Amino acid sequence: MEAVKERLIGAITVMSKEDALSLWEYIIRSHSPQTLLDSVEEVEPTPEEIEILNAYKNGDERYQPSISHKTLKKELGL
């Protein structure tokens, strides 16, 4: 994968939900809005995904971050 794509993925990974939504809205506004919007479909989570999300929300250590948001940004140079 090209370095620029890896950097984009890294930046998006550490974004807040609100920042990611803002970026997505920018992309839609600036690149064929209706075409992009039409190509996105919501998908229902699988039972396994729901179970994992519930485990995360309930504090299961297997699904908790092993690094803080601040430390991750520092390591990624963001």
Side-chain angles (χ1 to χ4, degrees), residues 3 5 10-11 14-15 19 24 32-33 39 43 48 54 66-67 71:
K5 289 181 180 180
V14 298
M15 279 183 182
D19 288 343
W24 180 247
S32 184
S39 69
V43 178
E48 181 183 27
N54 288 335
S66 60
I67 188 170
T71 303

Side-chain angles (χ1 to χ4, degrees), residues 50-64:
I50 292 171
E51 184 179 324
I52 290 170
L53 286 171
N54 288 335
Y56 167 77
K57 289 176 186 176
N58 291 324
D60 186 322
E61 287 188 28
R62 293 176 296 169
Y63 301 103
Q64 298 308 305

Side-chain angles (χ1 to χ4, degrees), residues 13-47:
T13 301
V14 298
M15 279 183 182
S16 68
K17 181 179 179 180
E18 293 77 19
D19 288 343
L21 179 58
S22 176
L23 176 59
W24 180 247
E25 290 172 348
Y26 168 77
I27 292 168
I28 289 174
R29 283 192 311 273
S30 58
H31 296 88
S32 184
Q34 197 56 48
T35 303
L36 284 174
L37 191 56
D38 289 342
S39 69
V40 175
E41 65 179 73
E42 257 189 62
V43 178
E44 291 295 319
T46 65

